[in-house]
Amino acid sequence: MNELELQNRTALVTGGSRGIGRSCCLQLAAAGAKVAVNFISNDSAAREVVEQIESGGGQAIACKADVSSPEQVQMMIGQVEKQLGPVEVLVNNAGVFDFVPHDQTPLKVWKRMLDVNLTGCYLTIWAVKDDMIRRGFGRIVNIASIAGLAPRPMSIAYSVSKAGVISLTKSLGVAIAEHNVRINAVAPGLIDTEILADVDQGSLDDLIGTTPMKRIGKSDEIADLVLFLLSERSSFMTGQTLVASGGRVTLP
Ligand code: NAP
């Protein structure tokens, strides 16, 4: 088995302050990467991740930026480059979610989902990919969702944004494959994080009850896959989406 080969790499995790992104930051640091922990508003959570990495002997910085803002993304990439070096590893994890039916999806909700979840991926990737191509090395993982693979009566805008992330991963993965810039995605099912705070308990119980493994997933179970896709253990993979959903969605 190949080693992870992430030592001393500069990694940026968007939405690294909490949930799945936080687990990715901690696992990347444990693999020896220098980690930039992006967040939008929760300074204390981001600082806690940085402190945890530093107390384990690693190197990390917190960087505040709204991934849906082109200006803020550019500033963030500049900050990371200055403090840790050019971004070599990127995890596009920042995301928002609304558990709403179709008749509660006005343009404002639609735009917010698309702006953060899809355009946010576009902006961060486009801010680093040309440099990755020039350097002949880049590893990108986008966090999609099974909502982007299967029909969903609820959260339609969210589902569309995640289908877009999967499509972006496929198309760009193929477009830049020859430059040793690999881009893959993970599509999680239900994972126990604060993003589910607005989902009522009855709906959560229904979702868990109809999950073949009959349980909710953990952030670390997604971070394990992210690390695999970033590492040389997946050296012949690009443009792919791995599903981790307790069996809830299976690819054909
Ligand atoms: P979470 O616990 O709510 O964390 C969301 C993270 O995203 C936080 O770090 C937050 O920063 C950051 N964020 C939100 N909007 C941002 C923006 N505009 N710019 C920069 N950062 C922003 O959510 P999670 O469950 O870990 O979700 C992570 C990813 O997994 C999302 O893309 C989500 O769609 C996907 N996912 C989650 C599940 C699930 O069941 N949990 C399932 C499938 C896919 P602050 O801390 O500053 O607020």
Side-chain angles (χ1 to χ4, degrees):
M1 174 94 58
N2 291 335
E3 287 307 310
L4 293 178
E5 294 183 27
L6 291 165
Q7 292 93 340
N8 294 319
R9 294 288 187 196
T10 297
L12 167 62
V13 180
T14 69
S17 47
R18 293 185 287 123
I20 294 169
R22 178 179 186 278
S23 290
C24 292
C25 289
L26 297 178
Q27 289 205 20
L28 276 162
K34 300 174 274 179
V35 184
V37 181
N38 161 252
F39 67 102
I40 183 165
S41 59
N42 205 329
D43 300 64
S44 58
R47 240 193 344 265
E48 190 271 328
V49 177
V50 169
E51 282 165 10
Q52 195 167 333
I53 291 172
E54 287 175 344
S55 69
Q59 202 180 344
I61 60 168
C63 37
K64 180 172 179 154
D66 178 348
V67 295
S68 69
S69 158
E71 297 78 20
Q72 291 184 34
V73 167
Q74 282 302 339
M75 279 175 57
M76 169 173 69
I77 300 300
Q79 181 196 349
V80 177
E81 183 157 349
K82 200 165 156 201
Q83 294 185 248
L84 299 180
V87 176
E88 300 169 292
V89 170
L90 170 65
V91 181
N92 274 312
N93 163 81
V96 287
F97 174 68
D98 258 344
F99 195 64
V100 288
H102 61 92
D103 54 3
Q104 288 171 35
T105 308
L107 182 60
K108 196 172 153 213
V109 169
W110 176 270
K111 274 183 67 62
R112 178 162 167 267
M113 289 295 143
L114 273 287
D115 285 352
V116 176
N117 295 353
L118 181 56
T119 306
C121 286
Y122 160 81
L123 289 172
T124 46
I125 294 171
W126 259 252
V128 298
K129 75 170 173 53
D130 290 347
D131 196 41
M132 287 177 169
I133 290 169
R134 240 186 330 271
R135 297 161 59 86
F137 181 91
R139 301 286 180 262
I140 301 171
V141 171
N142 298 323
I143 305 299
S145 165
I146 56 168
L149 290 165
R152 276 259 169 130
M154 299 288 280
S155 313
I156 290 176
Y158 178 78
S159 304
V160 170
S161 73
K162 294 301 188 179
V165 170
I166 292 166
S167 183
L168 168 64
T169 304
K170 283 184 198 170
S171 300
L172 187 65
V174 171
I176 62 180
E178 66 182 296
H179 301 289
N180 191 30
V181 179
R182 297 195 291 110
I183 168 167
N184 292 291
V186 175
L190 207 60
I191 306 298
D192 192 8
T193 74
E194 290 167 25
I195 210 169
L196 301 175
D198 293 335
V199 183
D200 61 280
Q201 194 56 48
S203 301
L204 273 182
D205 290 345
D206 281 353
L207 287 166
I208 293 168
T210 51
T211 298
M213 288 176 76
K214 304 287 180 212
R215 70 167 175 90
I216 194 164
K218 302 185 198 96
S219 290
D220 266 336
E221 293 178 293
I222 302 306
D224 286 340
L225 286 179
V226 172
L227 267 281
F228 165 73
L229 289 172
L230 294 173
S231 78
E232 296 317 298
R233 290 184 181 171
S234 60
S235 50
F236 202 41
M237 288 180 72
T238 200
Q240 307 302 314
T241 295
L242 292 183
V243 179
S245 65
R248 197 172 173 79
V249 166
T250 52
L251 295 177

